[in-house]
Amino acid sequence: MINVIISGAPGSGKGTQSDLIVKNFRLKHLSTGDMLRNEIAAGTELGKQVEKLVSGGLFVPDSIMIDIIANAIQKVDNSYNGLILDGFPRTVEQAQALETILEQQGKKITVFLDIHVDEAELIERLLKRGQIYGRTDDNLETIKERLKAYSSKTQPISDFYKKKNNYYQIEGNGTIEEIYGKIEDIITACNL
Ligand code: AP5
Ligand code: MG
């Protein structure tokens, strides 16, 4: 069983690298951002509740996110070799709740991947994606909010995982293939 957390600032490549990881390691990709965008697109009650927060680059309350991820983890069937969590946990409170959720299911985190990319590169990538795909939070003002939320609330979770000895920092400037190569080596080594 391989259970990966992929973390990093907005635009650091969590989704892009997750797509490659799931193919090669047969993991279930759980992206909380994708889940929220699907709820918004489908016009559900939850979608309506979170729409303004997501399009403003603000975090959805921990209690809502913890329920969403607990349900999603429970639904993963045995045909997968494990999970990759993309965009969760994003606060220390979420990290602590995740420990309990996994423990209850006899699971634990194999590796925490922390992708580091320069801020100028992050902004360039997200503005470019905004022009192509029109994600409502890919505009300069909201990108700045997202970066602020990341550094104040998400970066502190690195210390939580550093204490557990399964923390790996990855230099995320470079080509998608170069970065994936480093990630593949880490996951393979952790799974031996
Ligand atoms: P989420 O969807 O998780 O967004 P994010 O963290 O802002 O990150 P992105 O998805 O924008 O970037 P990414 O790191 O996945 O990079 P990607 O691979 O796409 O969350 C959205 C919102 O939902 C949050 O702001 C919040 O409101 C809410 N939310 C979600 N989870 C939550 C939680 N747990 N708690 C509270 N609120 C929550 O790459 C970006 C772009 O760069 C792409 O166009 C890609 O093609 C390109 N790219 C990737 N790698 C490279 C490379 N090496 N070189 C050049 N270009 C590259
Ligand atoms: Mg993403």
Side-chain angles (χ1 to χ4, degrees):
M1 188 69 101
I2 311 168
N3 296 315
V4 178
I5 294 173
I6 191 158
S7 191
S12 57
K14 300 183 293 294
T16 304
Q17 295 299 330
S18 293
D19 288 343
L20 298 171
I21 297 166
V22 293
K23 274 192 208 135
N24 289 301
F25 291 95
R26 218 157 45 85
L27 306 183
K28 175 71 178 172
H29 182 197
L30 298 179
S31 158
T32 46
D34 288 348
M35 291 175 203
L36 294 171
R37 282 185 290 277
N38 288 340
E39 296 284 338
I40 294 168
T44 64
E45 270 313 304
L46 175 62
K48 286 179 198 148
Q49 211 180 331
V50 302
E51 190 165 13
K52 277 213 177 76
L53 293 171
V54 172
S55 61
L58 302 173
F59 283 2
V60 171
D62 286 333
S63 57
I64 296 180
M65 295 315 303
I66 290 165
D67 278 353
I68 291 177
I69 209 74
N71 281 325
I73 291 175
Q74 204 166 21
K75 281 193 195 135
V76 177
D77 66 60
N78 291 333
S79 63
Y80 294 97
N81 287 332
L83 311 166
I84 177 154
L85 299 175
D86 160 3
F88 189 98
R90 238 177 168 96
T91 63
V92 172
E93 189 174 340
Q94 291 179 17
Q96 283 161 344
L98 179 65
E99 293 287 292
T100 312
I101 293 167
L102 293 176
E103 213 172 284
Q104 282 164 353
Q105 301 192 33
K107 296 185 170 99
K108 58 180 190 164
I109 294 302
T110 316
V111 56
F112 181 94
L113 303 171
D114 194 3
I115 312 180
H116 272 233
V117 174
D118 298 343
E119 190 166 301
E121 167 77 11
L122 294 171
I123 294 173
E124 194 185 315
R125 286 184 191 176
L126 294 174
L127 287 176
K128 197 164 142 196
R129 186 179 63 188
Q131 282 168 358
I132 301 171
Y133 298 104
R135 223 173 95 168
T136 57
D137 56 351
D138 282 343
N139 59 78
L140 192 56
E141 194 190 336
T142 311
I143 292 167
K144 285 186 176 158
E145 279 302 326
R146 289 157 67 195
L147 291 170
K148 234 171 29 189
Y150 171 75
S151 57
S152 64
K153 294 181 180 163
T154 307
Q155 269 182 329
I157 70 173
S158 298
D159 288 333
F160 183 88
Y161 289 97
K162 276 178 190 163
K163 286 186 195 132
K164 294 182 181 292
N165 293 326
N166 53 9
Y167 172 93
Y168 289 85
Q169 187 173 307
I170 291 146
E171 163 56 52
N173 295 286
T175 69
I176 290 169
E177 294 72 23
E178 274 165 8
I179 297 156
Y180 178 69
K182 292 186 252 185
I183 290 177
E184 187 175 46
D185 289 347
I186 293 168
I187 297 178
T188 305
C190 288
N191 193 39
L192 289 178

